[in-house]
Amino acid sequence: MNCRELREYLFAFLDSELDAPLSIEVQRHLEQCPECAREAEIERAIRRQLSNVLHEPSEGRRDTEGPDLDAALAEITSDDLRSSRTARQPRRWVPVLATAAVIAFAVIGGVTWNTGRSHHGSNQFVDLLVNDFEHFQEKGRPLQIASSDPTEVSNWLADQTALRVALPELDATHGKLLGARKCKIDGKPAAFAVYDVGGTLASLVVMPGTHPDIDNMEHVERDGLTHWVDRCKGHTVLACKCKGGALVYAAVSRLPEERLVMLINNVDR
Amino acid sequence: MSDSAELFLQYVRPHWRRLHAVAGGYLAQRDDARDLVQETLLRAWRAFAPTDDRTYARGWLFVIMRNIVIDWQRSLARKVRLVAVEFDELTEIAAADPCEPLASLPALDEERFRELLDQRLVAGLDSLEPVFREVLLLSVAGDLNYREIAEALDCPVGTVMSRMARARRALREHLADFARSDLRRKEVRQ
């Protein structure tokens, strides 16, 4: 190998990207040629300093030390309804992700919806509820309280969220409460409870106030009670407003709509 | 913590600091860089589904991060300092002769050479075209090899090799130019 050929391979050599025979040739040349050895040493020094500069957690733009990994992961896997963050807190989470999710849900949902009702792909409230419920099922996120006693779980949620939650008690033949976790929607404390209804899971989210997208769901009067209904990705979302509009209860499941009505009609309105 | 979260943690932990270093290269604001890491983590977690026959490559997180940067560029969501150009938008300019001599630095003792790097390396890095700066960022801060960078950029390995060489040559030229003009300034003063 001569000096000219060496220059072709020098950077790849320093990046440990050459195969063994070529690497040996380069090494041999560097041992015999002081000029090229000097060039290689300069490049190594530049690389070392570049590494310092790019890893340096000091002032300005390079001060990118983040939270510790465990805390960041706990935040993602435990604390919040993830979709609500992406949709509503653009400083910390990316709005474009929510948009992508909406588009994805619209596309997927368009294939799987099989009733007259349709989800128009722009209801963030429905998307975040369905998304989080799916995520709960797929990832097996732990419940923070595991109990089938609605009073015990409601009290725990009241302590954790300051919401006066009253989780419905189902007839044992219809299903049972599995437990709950706290969450956030639009930055506000909310509750996420899970029921087993005849072997099919259903989530029941309780949030304070209301959400603007609820009024974009289908409005249904049934047995003198008002519900808001939508479907997304094969799930039914059923919401009701309670306590004079102070709370919203929203159930999500693959259960038929009438089974979800049974769950939500047991809510103390 | 669920098994899935535990596996995810094990996968991410070795890359955690490097993710922050690369994010700091892409984004001008510290908070935005942190958001980029967080968003990368979130998207990765959503897609993470380990199985016996599915492993995640080292560069996977950086592919996700780069896609987010491209999204943010399009939406103007954040002030991106290093534009990530999609490969199919690029027209690769014919590379200079890779065998050409490197820009020669004036003879400097070790101390002055270190000073030169301290003073000018950041400026040199910033002066590079984004496509060249990005391969250096992914290589040096991300510690990715050429194949992993090629996956992140969705381009051939040969393209990475060519860009890397051009980036390093350009950086060297910047340093050499500054060192020569600095010497001239000092000579005039004397």
Side-chain angles (χ1 to χ4, degrees), chain B residues 3-62:
Chain B
D3 288 348
S4 190
E6 185 60 45
L7 285 171
F8 185 67
L9 191 68
Q10 285 173 18
Y11 169 67
V12 172
R13 194 182 294 285
H15 310 299
W16 187 234
R17 291 187 69 80
R18 294 190 288 116
L19 281 172
H20 282 91
V22 173
Y26 275 122
L27 294 168
Q29 302 297 325
R30 181 178 60 182
D31 283 349
D32 286 345
R34 288 180 179 171
D35 285 353
L36 178 57
V37 175
Q38 193 81 321
E39 182 60 26
T40 302
L41 201 63
L42 176 63
R43 286 199 193 183
W45 167 245
R46 283 181 156 185
F48 190 69
T51 59
D52 289 343
D53 57 354
R54 172 78 201 265
T55 56
Y56 287 86
R58 260 165 30 104
W60 181 57
L61 289 168
F62 295 92

Side-chain angles (χ1 to χ4, degrees), chain A residues 4 7 11 15 17 39 43 47 49 62-66 82 90-91 94 97 131 135 139, chain B residues 8 16-17 20 30 34-35 38-39 45-46 48 72 78 97 99 118 122 145-146 168 172:
Chain A
R4 184 176 163 76
R7 285 194 289 271
F11 298 119
D15 289 334
E17 292 282 346
E39 295 295 349
E43 284 304 319
R47 188 185 167 86
Q49 183 67 9
R62 284 178 211 92
D63 186 4
T64 55
E65 284 295 290
R82 295 163 313 124
R91 274 304 302 161
V94 195
L97 176 61
N131 192 34
H135 196 263
K139 304 285 185 183
Chain B
F8 185 67
W16 187 234
R17 291 187 69 80
H20 282 91
R30 181 178 60 182
R34 288 180 179 171
D35 285 353
Q38 193 81 321
E39 182 60 26
W45 167 245
R46 283 181 156 185
F48 190 69
W72 286 6
R78 308 295 169 99
D97 181 355
C99 301
D118 283 346
V122 171
N145 61 35
Y146 288 5
R168 291 191 185 282
R172 179 76 172 258

Side-chain angles (χ1 to χ4, degrees), chain A residues 124-167:
Chain A
Q124 289 186 338
F125 180 66
V126 170
D127 288 338
L128 77 85
L129 291 178
V130 169
N131 192 34
D132 201 60
F133 179 61
E134 283 201 327
H135 196 263
F136 173 83
Q137 290 184 291
E138 287 165 10
K139 304 285 185 183
R141 285 196 293 156
L143 294 166
Q144 291 169 312
I145 177 169
S147 167
S148 59
D149 180 349
T151 305
E152 183 187 5
V153 178
S154 296
N155 289 341
W156 182 85
L157 286 168
D159 283 345
Q160 297 289 322
T161 64
L163 292 174
R164 294 175 62 190
V165 178
L167 293 175

Side-chain angles (χ1 to χ4, degrees), chain B residues 136-149:
Chain B
L136 280 180
L137 179 71
L138 292 172
S139 168
V140 179
D143 196 29
L144 300 184
N145 61 35
Y146 288 5
R147 184 183 51 75
E148 291 165 334
I149 295 171

Side-chain angles (χ1 to χ4, degrees), chain A residues 63-85:
Chain A
D63 186 4
T64 55
E65 284 295 290
D68 89 85
L69 172 59
D70 299 82
L73 189 66
E75 192 179 348
I76 279 175
T77 60
S78 302
D79 285 350
D80 279 11
L81 279 183
R82 295 163 313 124
S83 303
S84 71
R85 265 195 311 221

